[in-house]
Amino acid sequence: MSTADLSRDDAVLILDTAEEIARLSARPIKKLPTLRGRTVVNLFFEDSTRTRTSFEVAAKRLSADVINFSAKGSSVSKGESLKDTALTLEAMGADAVVVRHSASGAAYRLANAGWTSSHVVNAGDGTHEHPTQALLDAFTLRRHLGGFDGRRITVVGDVLHSRVARSNVHLLATLGARVTLVAPPTLLPVGIGNWPCEVSYDLDAVVPDSDAIMMLRVQRERMNGGFFPTQREYSRRYGLDAQRMARLPDKAIVMHPGPMVRGMEISAEVADSDRSVIVEQVANGVSVRMAVLYLLLSGSESAIGPDVAENLSAENTKRAEQKGAAA
């Protein structure tokens, strides 16, 4: 339910598995037969485009059956509780439930209340955590930086309302990176001193030493007060523009979990620059979520083995023969 629950070995296993899956997914036929006959339910109580679609693609590429459940237009809109929804999905035989909920701790409650025997994957719970986003960010960072030990990762923006920030701090610290959070004091949570990271209020001071900089969206939908004077003032002090990007080290990369607000936390020029790996993060998210589902549902703690590659090769050969026969 949280990246804080992952050991370094656990995290590395997921990243290594995702790397092998990414290589297999580069083939013309992307599907693997690993989860054939399994059912994955995407249970989303909040709006989502990237995460829900990414989990759906991941499950389908592993040959699982996928059911997309949205709170809007369902019995939830009529007052059905999380418990009754979980019992319904249990009765339908779901093997895994990917849940996103506006309440922090909802995924933990679903997994531990005894309502379902399905595996539960946290796709974001309130302002608490978003573990698979942190894993795909770590996967992207490892591909570009080579490793984590001693690397300086700067996370900038609305930390107070960001589940991504909390998950990344715990995971990257476990992997050996040095994380610095940059935000105005009003956008930092109480107890930030207990997090395994450094805190700064001055973006310009930390940019030159950053191996990667991750920009966070200001989540206005979660705000009920004035957290900064104006959008222009926030952008001036905490936005990443071309001038600030120019002060980054030569091989530093720019990240964003999305969705972006261009012109506020990040300029269009930076978002579309060669340093930006934002679109790559989306692609990597599919591989990482395939790895998570594979490790949960395949009944094996090892990474993708030769049997999967052999099955894939056999399917490729069979389709090629069918195509040749048709010609």
Side-chain angles (χ1 to χ4, degrees):
M1 296 305 108
S2 166
T3 53
D5 299 330
L6 293 175
S7 67
R8 185 184 179 106
D9 288 344
D10 291 334
V12 170
L13 173 63
I14 295 171
L15 297 181
D16 287 346
T17 304
E19 193 67 63
E20 293 185 48
I21 286 175
R23 283 198 291 269
L24 292 173
S25 296
R27 300 184 182 189
I29 298 172
K30 295 178 171 58
K31 269 203 169 187
L32 300 173
T34 316
L35 299 185
R36 187 176 293 155
R38 301 296 188 101
T39 301
V40 176
V41 177
N42 288 328
L43 181 60
F44 278 65
F45 293 87
E46 281 189 321
D47 293 338
S48 172
T49 300
R50 290 164 188 77
T51 304
R52 188 190 64 200
T53 305
S54 183
F55 268 111
E56 181 177 0
V57 172
K60 286 182 176 179
R61 285 190 182 174
L62 290 169
S63 300
D65 297 320
V66 181
I67 300 172
N68 289 317
F69 178 101
S70 176
K72 292 179 181 177
S74 73
S75 295
V76 172
S77 63
K78 301 175 184 177
E80 184 174 77
S81 66
L82 177 61
K83 176 180 179 178
D84 289 326
T85 302
L87 292 173
T88 299
L89 297 177
E90 175 71 7
M92 292 179 179
D95 296 292
V97 178
V98 179
V99 61
R100 168 169 287 190
H101 203 284
S102 58
S104 297
Y108 180 86
R109 177 71 170 156
L110 182 62
N112 293 280
W115 303 333
T116 177
S117 59
S118 306
H119 294 283
V120 177
V121 180
N122 185 359
D125 59 331
T127 59
H128 179 229
E129 291 235 20
H130 194 347
T132 59
Q133 178 67 46
L135 284 164
L136 74 88
D137 291 338
F139 182 82
T140 305
L141 284 165
R142 190 172 74 162
R143 281 192 152 188
H144 284 271
L145 304 181
F148 298 98
D149 291 333
R151 294 292 191 177
R152 298 194 67 102
I153 314 300
T154 301
V155 181
V156 186
D158 185 3
V159 178
L160 177 63
H161 302 101
S162 176
R163 50 195 171 208
V164 174
R166 187 188 299 264
S167 287
N168 265 297
V169 166
H170 288 301
L171 179 62
L172 294 175
T174 298
L175 290 169
R178 299 178 61 185
V179 183
T180 301
L181 297 177
V182 181
T186 53
L187 289 178
L188 290 171
V190 175
I192 193 73
N194 296 322
W195 292 21
C197 64
E198 300 172 19
V199 176
S200 174
Y201 308 120
D202 186 354
L203 178 57
D204 291 315
V206 300
V207 162
D209 298 322
S210 302
D211 294 301
I213 187 164
M214 183 185 301
M215 307 306 297
L216 301 174
R217 180 176 64 90
V218 174
Q219 300 187 37
R220 291 186 175 276
E221 70 276 11
R222 300 186 191 275
M223 295 182 178
N224 54 11
F227 289 82
F228 47 85
T230 64
Q231 180 174 322
R232 183 176 179 181
E233 175 70 8
Y234 178 89
S235 184
R236 185 179 69 82
R237 294 198 60 186
Y238 297 101
L240 186 61
D241 56 19
Q243 288 183 330
R244 284 195 171 110
M245 184 176 68
R247 294 199 291 273
L248 285 168
D250 290 341
K251 294 185 178 180
I253 59 174
V254 175
M255 308 176 73
H256 196 302
M260 292 182 289
V261 181
R262 292 176 181 242
M264 190 169 182
E265 75 267 11
I266 188 170
S267 71
E269 185 177 357
V270 173
D272 297 329
S273 69
D274 291 339
R275 288 177 179 265
S276 172
V277 296
I278 297 169
V279 176
E280 183 183 335
Q281 286 174 265
V282 177
N284 290 342
V286 175
S287 297
V288 167
R289 286 164 179 139
M290 285 177 71
V292 169
L293 292 173
Y294 170 80
L295 291 170
L296 278 176
L297 297 177
S298 69
S300 169
E301 293 184 357
S302 63
I304 296 292
D307 56 326
V308 174
E310 190 176 324
N311 286 337
L312 180 64
S313 177
E315 287 193 4
N316 287 342
T317 302
K318 184 178 179 181
R319 293 198 186 194
E321 289 174 351
Q322 290 174 341
K323 203 176 274 188

